[in-house]
Amino acid sequence: QTFLGSRPDAWSPEQQNNFAVFFSRIGYKETAQWKEEIVYRIRKALDSGEVIFPDGTKGTVKPDQDPRQVLADWLVSPQNKQFNQNIANRVWYWLFGFGLVNEPDDFRKENPPVHPQLLDYLAEELVRQKYDLKKLYRVILNSSAYQQSSIPRKKQSGDIEYFASYPVRRIEAEVLQDIFIKIFDLPITYIYEVPEPFTYIRPRFKTITLSDSGISSSFLEMFGRASRDTGFESDRNNGITESQELFLINSTEINNWVSRYVQRHPAFVPGNRAQQRRGISEEQREAIKKFVNESWLTFLSRYPSQEENKVILEELMSADKPGIQRAQDLIWALLNTKEFLCRH
């Protein structure tokens, strides 16, 4: 699935049997430790030195050779078109959220690429660049397809599948959690207690690097983190659900995060009563303007437009003193925008 982009259940029994030969010299033995198992190579020659690769070509395994090494050499060979196309398609999928072959782990005749020439070009480019993924990323990121607007010129069927506009999609669960940790300075920890061995991951650990699928949280489950039960890309659910919307709109966690974010900013540190009676000072006005600019840069990676700036500043400076509640409403509104929650 990962290296060939092909699902085993789509293979014929003969293909599956031919593939199993490469792993027929793997042995297992238990140890005295609970849940521990040793995996080792059985040093015994295959019954036949001839093997058949998934693309139908034949190869030879020497008596003293590990069949998996022969498979690996074939797999990453520049002549292996299936591997090259799959890796190129995976990179395209990561950047666009939709593959030239979609799903990216479902290469088969019944599921052809939407643009075969483009897929061939990217696969050939990958080989030319000696499998340097950074260079392949550079090719795609500098393309007009990637840089076009997410606002379609015309609403018509197929515009996403054929990349007529950049496909808008929600940020993945792990990435969104890391964003919240960074913005709101959250001491998130991950613990996995049952079954053993116990796992404790300290705060400030990036959620995107979690390797154990058993470690989870209500947030990650709510926002569709892949369960990794099958290994299919479709395991991840990036759709919008009611529970997600309710969490972002009305949860105690979001309320507490936003409150702390606003209250630690200099613009909303409570002043003495004399200052409050005199209204908002010029220094406070400048602090509020700075708060608005910083908030837009933090959540939307841009400055507010002239119209946005005018409306927000009028709202925040309309009372005799800076309104903490109104500032919290502003942050709450920003983190609920499509511009913040989605790639676009």
Side-chain angles (χ1 to χ4, degrees):
Q1 291 172 201
T2 301
F3 296 109
L4 295 176
S6 180
R7 298 177 180 180
D9 57 6
W11 289 9
S12 66
E14 183 181 6
Q15 283 179 301
Q16 294 180 16
N17 292 334
N18 290 337
F19 194 68
V21 170
F22 293 101
F23 303 92
S24 61
R25 292 301 179 260
I26 297 177
Y28 306 88
K29 60 182 179 181
E30 298 180 352
T31 72
Q33 296 294 325
W34 181 50
K35 289 185 66 179
E36 184 177 71
E37 187 177 50
I38 293 176
V39 183
Y40 64 97
R41 173 192 164 198
I42 300 174
R43 298 183 179 275
K44 179 182 177 183
L46 296 177
D47 297 334
S48 171
E50 188 177 86
V51 291
I52 302 176
F53 298 111
D55 64 353
T57 60
K58 295 181 179 181
T60 303
V61 179
K62 298 176 182 178
D64 61 343
Q65 199 172 18
D66 188 336
R68 293 172 298 171
Q69 183 63 56
V70 175
L71 175 64
D73 292 340
W74 165 84
L75 185 68
V76 298
S77 168
Q79 287 73 43
N80 186 356
K81 187 176 179 181
Q82 188 175 355
F83 173 78
N84 301 331
Q85 287 187 338
N86 172 58
I87 298 302
N89 186 62
R90 284 269 180 173
V91 173
W92 186 276
Y93 173 82
W94 293 333
L95 293 174
F96 285 87
F98 201 89
L100 294 166
V101 174
N102 203 62
E103 298 281 337
D105 48 26
D106 193 21
F107 271 72
R108 50 190 169 87
K109 291 182 180 179
E110 297 78 13
N111 187 32
V114 294
H115 200 314
Q117 296 89 345
L118 175 58
L119 185 58
D120 287 340
Y121 169 78
L122 293 175
E124 292 167 4
E125 185 67 20
L126 181 65
V127 175
R128 279 196 297 271
Q129 302 294 355
K130 298 181 179 179
Y131 298 95
D132 188 330
L133 289 182
K134 287 185 177 180
K135 293 181 179 178
L136 183 64
Y137 270 98
R138 188 175 291 114
V139 169
I140 298 175
L141 294 173
N142 281 288
S143 69
S144 58
Y146 182 81
Q147 295 181 12
Q148 66 185 331
S149 171
S150 58
I151 302 173
R153 297 180 181 89
K154 294 181 180 179
K155 290 187 177 180
Q156 54 189 14
S157 61
D159 60 341
I160 297 298
E161 292 85 349
Y162 291 94
F163 308 99
S165 60
Y166 187 84
V168 176
R169 65 194 189 280
R170 207 205 63 226
I171 295 172
E172 294 85 354
E174 298 91 331
V175 178
L176 187 60
Q177 178 71 98
D178 282 338
I179 290 173
F180 282 144
I181 290 173
K182 183 69 174 177
I183 291 176
F184 298 116
D185 194 25
L186 304 177
I188 300 294
T189 59
Y190 294 102
I191 301 175
Y192 186 42
E193 296 182 346
V194 180
E196 293 184 77
F198 303 124
T199 304
Y200 172 79
I201 298 178
R202 65 189 185 280
R204 313 304 175 206
F205 186 88
K206 285 187 178 296
T207 311
I208 57 173
T209 61
L210 283 178
S211 59
D212 189 345
S213 61
I215 298 175
S216 187
S217 70
S218 58
F219 182 94
L220 296 178
E221 292 172 3
M222 183 190 311
F223 283 87
R225 182 197 185 199
S227 61
R228 306 185 194 177
D229 291 335
T230 65
F232 294 158
E233 284 294 335
S234 55
D235 270 358
R236 179 177 295 278
N237 178 15
N238 240 27
I240 306 298
T241 65
E242 291 182 356
S243 60
Q244 296 169 9
E245 293 177 336
L246 287 172
F247 175 83
L248 293 170
I249 291 173
N250 197 34
S251 69
T252 302
E253 293 97 322
I254 290 291
N255 184 63
N256 292 336
W257 298 349
V258 170
S259 296
R260 289 197 299 269
Y261 176 88
V262 172
Q263 291 173 12
R264 69 172 180 250
H265 197 277
F268 300 99
V269 173
N272 57 45
R273 293 185 178 181
Q275 288 177 324
Q276 293 175 9
R277 284 196 296 269
R278 290 195 296 268
I280 302 175
S281 66
E282 188 61 32
E283 183 180 355
Q284 286 174 311
R285 288 179 183 275
E286 291 301 317
I288 293 174
K289 291 178 182 179
K290 185 177 180 181
F291 168 78
V292 172
N293 286 335
E294 288 178 354
S295 298
W296 248 259
L297 288 170
T298 299
F299 286 89
L300 307 182
S301 300
R302 65 174 177 86
Y303 285 103
S305 66
Q306 188 174 357
E307 183 179 354
E308 290 170 336
N309 209 36
K310 179 181 177 183
V311 173
I312 295 303
L313 290 178
E314 285 180 357
E315 178 67 19
L316 292 178
M317 298 183 186
S318 61
D320 293 335
K321 59 182 179 180
I324 290 181
Q325 185 59 55
R326 285 187 294 279
Q328 292 174 1
D329 291 344
L330 168 63
I331 301 303
W332 168 84
L334 286 175
L335 67 84
N336 275 280
T337 60
K338 191 175 181 180
E339 188 174 353
F340 170 70
L341 293 171
C342 296
R343 301 181 187 273
H344 52 83

